[in-house]
Amino acid sequence: MTSVIVAKKASKLFLDGAVVAFRELNIEIAEQEVLCIVGPSGCGKTTFLRCIAGLTEISEGELTVHGKSVDGPPDGVAMVFQHFGLLPWKTVYENCAFGLAMAGAPAAKIEERVMHYINLVGLQGFERRYPYQLSGGMQQRVGLVRALAMNPSVLLMDEPFAALDAQTRETLQEELLRIMQLPEERKTMVFVTHSIDEAILLADRVAIMKARPARVKEMLDIPFGWPRDVETVRSDPRFAELRSHVWRQLQSPPKKAAAGSAL
Ligand SMILES: Nc1ncnc2c1ncn2[C@@H]1O[C@H](COP(=O)(O)OP(=O)(O)O)[C@@H](O)[C@H]1O
Ligand SMILES: [Mg+2]
């Protein structure tokens, strides 16, 4: 299978090497694969997504998207942010249209695509509202429409549901699961989350990261195939096993080593 995103010994250092976001990361993500990344705060998850999106450059090693070294935002990559990243002075419609407008798409095409996704996520009727008039869940639906309307082949999601209450979060997980299984919406996805359940629900593989230095501690295959739905996955006995396995892996460093650490 073709790899869409390839990181080989990729490192990202800040402040002349004083801060290591991640070091010698090796990750290959296949076409239409969903990779979820879980790990402690500060282990470089956001920075890794930003490097894939071409918003910042790796310091050492290789990072390619569709076979090309990333040296600026690659074609076909869209990102959804934890804090939505909407423009408060623009309406829902204008926010959704923003990426396409920046790319110079004609107005008719923008309208067709934006309205398609507004309907798909249930935002119809809210086009002329402003972000402050929407609930958090609806604001993130706008973030999702803005990304999907670009028709990306790679979707990067940085804890997109972390700022939402538990119930809204579950609703959006279900909706995302439904949308990403539409044949025309299958994409390569990298999804960062702190929720183990969310990772197992959405992923083909889960990268369990560790901090200091940031590394992939385990690359875990998720045995649930496609199509899948929330109920079936949650009621599968393997779900509970995977959950506690990931939980244990994240409990690091082991208690003995932690005693002498500065944390
Ligand atoms: N622009 C920056 N300048 C300096 N250090 C940064 C910058 N961005 C991130 N870092 C540092 O890099 C590390 C990884 O950050 P980040 O990618 O945000 O982690 P995560 O998303 O896993 O919580 C942290 O120690 C953070 O403080
Ligand atoms: Mg982060």
PDB file of all heavy atoms in Angstrom, residues 12-15 19-22 39-48 50 158-159 192 194 212, ligand 1:
ATOM      1  N   LYS A  12      12.187  17.666  15.597  1.00  0.00           N
ATOM      2  CA  LYS A  12      11.856  19.088  15.617  1.00  0.00           C
ATOM      3  C   LYS A  12      12.350  19.678  16.928  1.00  0.00           C
ATOM      4  O   LYS A  12      11.945  19.261  18.010  1.00  0.00           O
ATOM      5  CB  LYS A  12      10.350  19.284  15.503  1.00  0.00           C
ATOM      6  CG  LYS A  12       9.900  20.719  15.635  1.00  0.00           C
ATOM      7  CD  LYS A  12      10.402  21.596  14.485  1.00  0.00           C
ATOM      8  CE  LYS A  12       9.933  23.048  14.645  1.00  0.00           C
ATOM      9  NZ  LYS A  12      10.437  23.904  13.574  1.00  0.00           N
ATOM     10  N   LEU A  13      13.272  20.596  16.792  1.00  0.00           N
ATOM     11  CA  LEU A  13      13.863  21.240  17.965  1.00  0.00           C
ATOM     12  C   LEU A  13      13.477  22.716  17.949  1.00  0.00           C
ATOM     13  O   LEU A  13      13.342  23.309  16.884  1.00  0.00           O
ATOM     14  CB  LEU A  13      15.393  21.119  17.928  1.00  0.00           C
ATOM     15  CG  LEU A  13      15.954  19.740  17.532  1.00  0.00           C
ATOM     16  CD1 LEU A  13      17.468  19.824  17.389  1.00  0.00           C
ATOM     17  CD2 LEU A  13      15.583  18.702  18.570  1.00  0.00           C
ATOM     18  N   PHE A  14      13.280  23.267  19.121  1.00  0.00           N
ATOM     19  CA  PHE A  14      13.027  24.698  19.238  1.00  0.00           C
ATOM     20  C   PHE A  14      14.171  25.328  20.013  1.00  0.00           C
ATOM     21  O   PHE A  14      14.878  24.650  20.762  1.00  0.00           O
ATOM     22  CB  PHE A  14      11.724  24.960  19.995  1.00  0.00           C
ATOM     23  CG  PHE A  14      10.485  24.599  19.223  1.00  0.00           C
ATOM     24  CD1 PHE A  14       9.720  23.499  19.590  1.00  0.00           C
ATOM     25  CD2 PHE A  14      10.073  25.369  18.140  1.00  0.00           C
ATOM     26  CE1 PHE A  14       8.572  23.170  18.887  1.00  0.00           C
ATOM     27  CE2 PHE A  14       8.915  25.047  17.438  1.00  0.00           C
ATOM     28  CZ  PHE A  14       8.162  23.949  17.814  1.00  0.00           C
ATOM     29  N   LEU A  15      14.291  26.632  19.898  1.00  0.00           N
ATOM     30  CA  LEU A  15      15.255  27.415  20.697  1.00  0.00           C
ATOM     31  C   LEU A  15      16.655  26.815  20.615  1.00  0.00           C
ATOM     32  O   LEU A  15      17.263  26.480  21.626  1.00  0.00           O
ATOM     33  CB  LEU A  15      14.783  27.503  22.163  1.00  0.00           C
ATOM     34  CG  LEU A  15      13.332  27.958  22.385  1.00  0.00           C
ATOM     35  CD1 LEU A  15      12.941  27.861  23.846  1.00  0.00           C
ATOM     36  CD2 LEU A  15      13.129  29.378  21.870  1.00  0.00           C
ATOM     37  N   VAL A  19      14.782  22.965  23.352  1.00  0.00           N
ATOM     38  CA  VAL A  19      13.513  22.245  23.511  1.00  0.00           C
ATOM     39  C   VAL A  19      13.372  21.246  22.366  1.00  0.00           C
ATOM     40  O   VAL A  19      13.506  21.608  21.205  1.00  0.00           O
ATOM     41  CB  VAL A  19      12.312  23.224  23.478  1.00  0.00           C
ATOM     42  CG1 VAL A  19      10.987  22.460  23.531  1.00  0.00           C
ATOM     43  CG2 VAL A  19      12.411  24.214  24.632  1.00  0.00           C
ATOM     44  N   VAL A  20      13.135  20.004  22.738  1.00  0.00           N
ATOM     45  CA  VAL A  20      12.929  18.966  21.730  1.00  0.00           C
ATOM     46  C   VAL A  20      11.436  18.649  21.681  1.00  0.00           C
ATOM     47  O   VAL A  20      10.878  18.152  22.657  1.00  0.00           O
ATOM     48  CB  VAL A  20      13.698  17.679  22.108  1.00  0.00           C
ATOM     49  CG1 VAL A  20      13.471  16.598  21.054  1.00  0.00           C
ATOM     50  CG2 VAL A  20      15.175  17.973  22.266  1.00  0.00           C
ATOM     51  N   ALA A  21      10.780  18.970  20.575  1.00  0.00           N
ATOM     52  CA  ALA A  21       9.349  18.640  20.446  1.00  0.00           C
ATOM     53  C   ALA A  21       9.220  17.142  20.194  1.00  0.00           C
ATOM     54  O   ALA A  21       8.435  16.459  20.831  1.00  0.00           O
ATOM     55  CB  ALA A  21       8.716  19.447  19.325  1.00  0.00           C
ATOM     56  N   PHE A  22       9.994  16.628  19.233  1.00  0.00           N
ATOM     57  CA  PHE A  22      10.086  15.168  19.029  1.00  0.00           C
ATOM     58  C   PHE A  22      11.428  14.876  18.387  1.00  0.00           C
ATOM     59  O   PHE A  22      12.033  15.750  17.754  1.00  0.00           O
ATOM     60  CB  PHE A  22       8.932  14.614  18.181  1.00  0.00           C
ATOM     61  CG  PHE A  22       8.701  15.327  16.880  1.00  0.00           C
ATOM     62  CD1 PHE A  22       9.435  15.010  15.744  1.00  0.00           C
ATOM     63  CD2 PHE A  22       7.731  16.321  16.789  1.00  0.00           C
ATOM     64  CE1 PHE A  22       9.209  15.667  14.544  1.00  0.00           C
ATOM     65  CE2 PHE A  22       7.508  16.998  15.584  1.00  0.00           C
ATOM     66  CZ  PHE A  22       8.246  16.664  14.463  1.00  0.00           C
ATOM     67  N   GLY A  39      -0.945  10.569  23.771  1.00  0.00           N
ATOM     68  CA  GLY A  39       0.313  10.727  24.498  1.00  0.00           C
ATOM     69  C   GLY A  39       0.228  11.906  25.430  1.00  0.00           C
ATOM     70  O   GLY A  39      -0.669  12.739  25.295  1.00  0.00           O
ATOM     71  N   PRO A  40       1.166  11.994  26.355  1.00  0.00           N
ATOM     72  CA  PRO A  40       1.123  13.064  27.346  1.00  0.00           C
ATOM     73  C   PRO A  40       1.285  14.441  26.719  1.00  0.00           C
ATOM     74  O   PRO A  40       1.828  14.570  25.615  1.00  0.00           O
ATOM     75  CB  PRO A  40       2.318  12.748  28.268  1.00  0.00           C
ATOM     76  CG  PRO A  40       3.177  11.815  27.502  1.00  0.00           C
ATOM     77  CD  PRO A  40       2.321  11.101  26.521  1.00  0.00           C
ATOM     78  N   SER A  41       0.822  15.459  27.427  1.00  0.00           N
ATOM     79  CA  SER A  41       0.978  16.830  26.942  1.00  0.00           C
ATOM     80  C   SER A  41       2.458  17.139  26.762  1.00  0.00           C
ATOM     81  O   SER A  41       3.284  16.710  27.565  1.00  0.00           O
ATOM     82  CB  SER A  41       0.410  17.823  27.954  1.00  0.00           C
ATOM     83  OG  SER A  41      -0.974  17.707  27.953  1.00  0.00           O
ATOM     84  N   GLY A  42       2.769  17.837  25.703  1.00  0.00           N
ATOM     85  CA  GLY A  42       4.141  18.275  25.480  1.00  0.00           C
ATOM     86  C   GLY A  42       5.004  17.247  24.775  1.00  0.00           C
ATOM     87  O   GLY A  42       6.213  17.446  24.644  1.00  0.00           O
ATOM     88  N   CYS A  43       4.404  16.135  24.281  1.00  0.00           N
ATOM     89  CA  CYS A  43       5.249  15.135  23.618  1.00  0.00           C
ATOM     90  C   CYS A  43       5.350  15.399  22.119  1.00  0.00           C
ATOM     91  O   CYS A  43       5.870  14.579  21.376  1.00  0.00           O
ATOM     92  CB  CYS A  43       4.786  13.716  23.917  1.00  0.00           C
ATOM     93  SG  CYS A  43       3.299  13.239  23.063  1.00  0.00           S
ATOM     94  N   GLY A  44       4.862  16.554  21.674  1.00  0.00           N
ATOM     95  CA  GLY A  44       5.116  16.957  20.291  1.00  0.00           C
ATOM     96  C   GLY A  44       4.009  16.636  19.301  1.00  0.00           C
ATOM     97  O   GLY A  44       4.227  16.741  18.091  1.00  0.00           O
ATOM     98  N   LYS A  45       2.824  16.308  19.781  1.00  0.00           N
ATOM     99  CA  LYS A  45       1.741  15.904  18.875  1.00  0.00           C
ATOM    100  C   LYS A  45       1.311  17.056  17.961  1.00  0.00           C
ATOM    101  O   LYS A  45       1.223  16.888  16.744  1.00  0.00           O
ATOM    102  CB  LYS A  45       0.533  15.397  19.692  1.00  0.00           C
ATOM    103  CG  LYS A  45       0.886  14.264  20.646  1.00  0.00           C
ATOM    104  CD  LYS A  45      -0.317  13.784  21.440  1.00  0.00           C
ATOM    105  CE  LYS A  45      -0.912  14.807  22.380  1.00  0.00           C
ATOM    106  NZ  LYS A  45      -0.020  15.229  23.504  1.00  0.00           N
ATOM    107  N   THR A  46       1.050  18.208  18.586  1.00  0.00           N
ATOM    108  CA  THR A  46       0.622  19.366  17.780  1.00  0.00           C
ATOM    109  C   THR A  46       1.739  19.772  16.821  1.00  0.00           C
ATOM    110  O   THR A  46       1.491  20.042  15.644  1.00  0.00           O
ATOM    111  CB  THR A  46       0.264  20.553  18.701  1.00  0.00           C
ATOM    112  OG1 THR A  46      -0.886  20.191  19.471  1.00  0.00           O
ATOM    113  CG2 THR A  46      -0.036  21.810  17.912  1.00  0.00           C
ATOM    114  N   THR A  47       2.961  19.775  17.320  1.00  0.00           N
ATOM    115  CA  THR A  47       4.083  20.174  16.472  1.00  0.00           C
ATOM    116  C   THR A  47       4.214  19.229  15.277  1.00  0.00           C
ATOM    117  O   THR A  47       4.470  19.665  14.148  1.00  0.00           O
ATOM    118  CB  THR A  47       5.393  20.193  17.283  1.00  0.00           C
ATOM    119  OG1 THR A  47       5.200  21.008  18.442  1.00  0.00           O
ATOM    120  CG2 THR A  47       6.545  20.734  16.475  1.00  0.00           C
ATOM    121  N   PHE A  48       4.012  17.927  15.509  1.00  0.00           N
ATOM    122  CA  PHE A  48       4.097  16.963  14.408  1.00  0.00           C
ATOM    123  C   PHE A  48       3.027  17.282  13.350  1.00  0.00           C
ATOM    124  O   PHE A  48       3.329  17.323  12.153  1.00  0.00           O
ATOM    125  CB  PHE A  48       3.943  15.539  14.945  1.00  0.00           C
ATOM    126  CG  PHE A  48       4.074  14.475  13.890  1.00  0.00           C
ATOM    127  CD1 PHE A  48       5.185  14.427  13.067  1.00  0.00           C
ATOM    128  CD2 PHE A  48       3.088  13.512  13.713  1.00  0.00           C
ATOM    129  CE1 PHE A  48       5.319  13.445  12.075  1.00  0.00           C
ATOM    130  CE2 PHE A  48       3.206  12.531  12.737  1.00  0.00           C
ATOM    131  CZ  PHE A  48       4.320  12.502  11.915  1.00  0.00           C
ATOM    132  N   ARG A  50       1.619  20.153  12.815  1.00  0.00           N
ATOM    133  CA  ARG A  50       1.976  21.424  12.172  1.00  0.00           C
ATOM    134  C   ARG A  50       3.096  21.236  11.134  1.00  0.00           C
ATOM    135  O   ARG A  50       3.133  21.924  10.118  1.00  0.00           O
ATOM    136  CB  ARG A  50       2.391  22.461  13.222  1.00  0.00           C
ATOM    137  CG  ARG A  50       1.181  22.978  14.035  1.00  0.00           C
ATOM    138  CD  ARG A  50       1.624  23.895  15.166  1.00  0.00           C
ATOM    139  NE  ARG A  50       2.506  24.978  14.720  1.00  0.00           N
ATOM    140  CZ  ARG A  50       2.110  26.098  14.123  1.00  0.00           C
ATOM    141  NH1 ARG A  50       0.840  26.298  13.926  1.00  0.00           N
ATOM    142  NH2 ARG A  50       2.987  26.992  13.743  1.00  0.00           N
ATOM    143  N   ASP A 158      -6.372  18.078  15.378  1.00  0.00           N
ATOM    144  CA  ASP A 158      -5.612  18.259  16.620  1.00  0.00           C
ATOM    145  C   ASP A 158      -6.569  18.406  17.801  1.00  0.00           C
ATOM    146  O   ASP A 158      -7.046  19.506  18.080  1.00  0.00           O
ATOM    147  CB  ASP A 158      -4.712  19.488  16.511  1.00  0.00           C
ATOM    148  CG  ASP A 158      -3.721  19.554  17.669  1.00  0.00           C
ATOM    149  OD1 ASP A 158      -3.607  18.568  18.421  1.00  0.00           O
ATOM    150  OD2 ASP A 158      -3.072  20.601  17.817  1.00  0.00           O
ATOM    151  N   GLU A 159      -6.859  17.311  18.480  1.00  0.00           N
ATOM    152  CA  GLU A 159      -7.795  17.291  19.607  1.00  0.00           C
ATOM    153  C   GLU A 159      -9.057  18.095  19.290  1.00  0.00           C
ATOM    154  O   GLU A 159      -9.457  18.984  20.054  1.00  0.00           O
ATOM    155  CB  GLU A 159      -7.120  17.860  20.868  1.00  0.00           C
ATOM    156  CG  GLU A 159      -5.865  17.102  21.258  1.00  0.00           C
ATOM    157  CD  GLU A 159      -5.370  17.528  22.634  1.00  0.00           C
ATOM    158  OE1 GLU A 159      -6.209  17.653  23.549  1.00  0.00           O
ATOM    159  OE2 GLU A 159      -4.158  17.739  22.784  1.00  0.00           O
ATOM    160  N   VAL A 192      -5.206  13.547  16.619  1.00  0.00           N
ATOM    161  CA  VAL A 192      -4.593  13.601  17.950  1.00  0.00           C
ATOM    162  C   VAL A 192      -5.692  13.708  18.990  1.00  0.00           C
ATOM    163  O   VAL A 192      -6.623  14.510  18.834  1.00  0.00           O
ATOM    164  CB  VAL A 192      -3.653  14.819  18.063  1.00  0.00           C
ATOM    165  CG1 VAL A 192      -3.191  15.012  19.503  1.00  0.00           C
ATOM    166  CG2 VAL A 192      -2.466  14.659  17.139  1.00  0.00           C
ATOM    167  N   HIS A 194      -6.699  13.028  23.488  1.00  0.00           N
ATOM    168  CA  HIS A 194      -6.361  12.539  24.820  1.00  0.00           C
ATOM    169  C   HIS A 194      -7.322  11.452  25.243  1.00  0.00           C
ATOM    170  O   HIS A 194      -7.169  10.859  26.310  1.00  0.00           O
ATOM    171  CB  HIS A 194      -6.394  13.675  25.839  1.00  0.00           C
ATOM    172  CG  HIS A 194      -5.117  14.435  25.906  1.00  0.00           C
ATOM    173  ND1 HIS A 194      -3.983  13.914  26.492  1.00  0.00           N
ATOM    174  CD2 HIS A 194      -4.767  15.648  25.429  1.00  0.00           C
ATOM    175  CE1 HIS A 194      -3.004  14.795  26.382  1.00  0.00           C
ATOM    176  NE2 HIS A 194      -3.450  15.839  25.735  1.00  0.00           N
ATOM    177  N   ARG A 212       9.689  12.982  26.708  1.00  0.00           N
ATOM    178  CA  ARG A 212      11.056  13.120  27.238  1.00  0.00           C
ATOM    179  C   ARG A 212      11.911  11.872  27.103  1.00  0.00           C
ATOM    180  O   ARG A 212      12.087  11.192  28.101  1.00  0.00           O
ATOM    181  CB  ARG A 212      10.990  13.574  28.694  1.00  0.00           C
ATOM    182  CG  ARG A 212      10.469  14.969  28.817  1.00  0.00           C
ATOM    183  CD  ARG A 212      10.445  15.439  30.227  1.00  0.00           C
ATOM    184  NE  ARG A 212       9.491  16.530  30.315  1.00  0.00           N
ATOM    185  CZ  ARG A 212       8.194  16.379  30.586  1.00  0.00           C
ATOM    186  NH1 ARG A 212       7.704  15.198  30.843  1.00  0.00           N
ATOM    187  NH2 ARG A 212       7.399  17.402  30.598  1.00  0.00           N
TER     188      ARG A 212
HETATM  189  N1  LIG B   1       6.964  27.667  18.961  1.00  0.00           N
HETATM  190  C1  LIG B   1       7.553  27.017  19.969  1.00  0.00           C
HETATM  191  N2  LIG B   1       8.686  27.482  20.562  1.00  0.00           N
HETATM  192  C2  LIG B   1       9.303  26.814  21.556  1.00  0.00           C
HETATM  193  N3  LIG B   1       8.859  25.624  22.051  1.00  0.00           N
HETATM  194  C3  LIG B   1       7.745  25.114  21.518  1.00  0.00           C
HETATM  195  C4  LIG B   1       7.021  25.772  20.456  1.00  0.00           C
HETATM  196  N4  LIG B   1       5.951  24.999  20.129  1.00  0.00           N
HETATM  197  C5  LIG B   1       5.988  23.934  20.935  1.00  0.00           C
HETATM  198  N5  LIG B   1       7.055  23.995  21.769  1.00  0.00           N
HETATM  199  C6  LIG B   1       7.451  22.976  22.774  1.00  0.00           C
HETATM  200  O1  LIG B   1       7.548  21.728  22.110  1.00  0.00           O
HETATM  201  C7  LIG B   1       7.054  20.689  22.925  1.00  0.00           C
HETATM  202  C8  LIG B   1       5.928  19.964  22.222  1.00  0.00           C
HETATM  203  O2  LIG B   1       4.786  20.823  22.127  1.00  0.00           O
HETATM  204  P1  LIG B   1       3.427  20.378  21.449  1.00  0.00           P
HETATM  205  O3  LIG B   1       3.708  19.907  20.075  1.00  0.00           O
HETATM  206  O4  LIG B   1       2.473  21.518  21.586  1.00  0.00           O
HETATM  207  O5  LIG B   1       2.971  19.151  22.374  1.00  0.00           O
HETATM  208  P2  LIG B   1       1.575  18.409  22.502  1.00  0.00           P
HETATM  209  O6  LIG B   1       0.683  18.864  21.383  1.00  0.00           O
HETATM  210  O7  LIG B   1       1.911  16.956  22.443  1.00  0.00           O
HETATM  211  O8  LIG B   1       1.035  18.783  23.846  1.00  0.00           O
HETATM  212  C9  LIG B   1       6.641  21.347  24.238  1.00  0.00           C
HETATM  213  O9  LIG B   1       7.706  21.227  25.157  1.00  0.00           O
HETATM  214  C10 LIG B   1       6.401  22.791  23.836  1.00  0.00           C
HETATM  215  O10 LIG B   1       6.607  23.656  24.932  1.00  0.00           O
END
